[in-house]
Short mmCIF file of all heavy atoms in Angstrom, two decimals:
data_model
loop_
_atom_site.label_atom_id
_atom_site.label_comp_id
_atom_site.label_asym_id
_atom_site.label_seq_id
_atom_site.Cartn_x
_atom_site.Cartn_y
_atom_site.Cartn_z
N GLY B 74 -11.56 15.45 -5.15
CA GLY B 74 -12.44 16.61 -5.18
C GLY B 74 -13.78 16.37 -4.53
O GLY B 74 -14.48 17.33 -4.19
N ASP B 75 -14.18 15.13 -4.33
CA ASP B 75 -15.47 14.81 -3.69
C ASP B 75 -15.24 14.49 -2.22
O ASP B 75 -14.64 13.46 -1.90
CB ASP B 75 -16.14 13.61 -4.36
CG ASP B 75 -16.69 13.96 -5.72
OD1 ASP B 75 -16.67 15.16 -6.07
OD2 ASP B 75 -17.12 13.04 -6.43
N ASN B 76 -15.71 15.30 -1.32
CA ASN B 76 -15.52 15.02 0.10
C ASN B 76 -16.53 14.00 0.63
O ASN B 76 -16.32 13.42 1.70
CB ASN B 76 -15.60 16.30 0.92
CG ASN B 76 -14.38 17.17 0.69
OD1 ASN B 76 -13.34 16.69 0.24
ND2 ASN B 76 -14.51 18.45 0.97
N LEU B 77 -17.61 13.80 -0.08
CA LEU B 77 -18.59 12.77 0.30
C LEU B 77 -18.81 11.88 -0.91
O LEU B 77 -19.30 12.33 -1.94
CB LEU B 77 -19.89 13.41 0.76
CG LEU B 77 -20.92 12.44 1.34
CD1 LEU B 77 -20.40 11.81 2.62
CD2 LEU B 77 -22.25 13.16 1.60
N VAL B 78 -18.45 10.62 -0.75
CA VAL B 78 -18.53 9.66 -1.85
C VAL B 78 -19.64 8.66 -1.54
O VAL B 78 -19.69 8.11 -0.44
CB VAL B 78 -17.20 8.91 -2.02
CG1 VAL B 78 -17.31 7.90 -3.15
CG2 VAL B 78 -16.07 9.89 -2.25
N LYS B 79 -20.50 8.41 -2.49
CA LYS B 79 -21.58 7.43 -2.30
C LYS B 79 -21.19 6.12 -2.97
O LYS B 79 -20.56 6.10 -4.04
CB LYS B 79 -22.88 7.96 -2.86
CG LYS B 79 -23.40 9.18 -2.10
CD LYS B 79 -24.81 9.52 -2.47
CE LYS B 79 -25.28 10.78 -1.75
NZ LYS B 79 -25.29 10.59 -0.28
N GLU B 85 -21.72 5.39 2.33
CA GLU B 85 -21.01 6.57 1.85
C GLU B 85 -19.76 6.76 2.69
O GLU B 85 -19.62 6.15 3.76
CB GLU B 85 -21.91 7.81 1.91
CG GLU B 85 -22.48 8.10 3.27
CD GLU B 85 -23.59 9.16 3.22
OE1 GLU B 85 -24.24 9.31 2.17
OE2 GLU B 85 -23.78 9.81 4.25
N ALA B 86 -18.84 7.56 2.19
CA ALA B 86 -17.61 7.81 2.94
C ALA B 86 -17.29 9.28 2.87
O ALA B 86 -17.46 9.94 1.83
CB ALA B 86 -16.47 6.98 2.39
N GLU B 87 -16.80 9.77 4.01
CA GLU B 87 -16.45 11.18 4.13
C GLU B 87 -14.95 11.33 4.14
O GLU B 87 -14.26 10.79 5.02
CB GLU B 87 -17.06 11.75 5.42
CG GLU B 87 -16.93 13.25 5.55
CD GLU B 87 -17.68 13.77 6.76
OE1 GLU B 87 -17.99 12.97 7.68
OE2 GLU B 87 -17.95 14.98 6.80
N PHE B 88 -14.45 12.07 3.17
CA PHE B 88 -13.01 12.32 3.06
C PHE B 88 -12.67 13.63 3.75
O PHE B 88 -13.33 14.64 3.52
CB PHE B 88 -12.61 12.39 1.59
CG PHE B 88 -11.17 12.74 1.36
CD1 PHE B 88 -10.17 11.80 1.56
CD2 PHE B 88 -10.81 14.02 0.93
CE1 PHE B 88 -8.84 12.13 1.34
CE2 PHE B 88 -9.48 14.36 0.72
CZ PHE B 88 -8.49 13.40 0.91
N LYS B 98 -19.66 5.54 6.35
CA LYS B 98 -20.88 5.89 7.08
C LYS B 98 -22.10 5.28 6.40
O LYS B 98 -22.09 4.98 5.20
CB LYS B 98 -21.06 7.41 7.15
CG LYS B 98 -19.97 8.15 7.90
CD LYS B 98 -20.14 9.65 7.79
CE LYS B 98 -19.05 10.42 8.51
NZ LYS B 98 -19.20 10.39 9.98
#
Side-chain angles (χ1 to χ4, degrees):
Chain B
D75 288 352
N76 289 339
L77 187 64
V78 179
K79 294 192 183 298
E85 56 192 26
E87 188 173 19
F88 176 76
K98 297 174 181 286

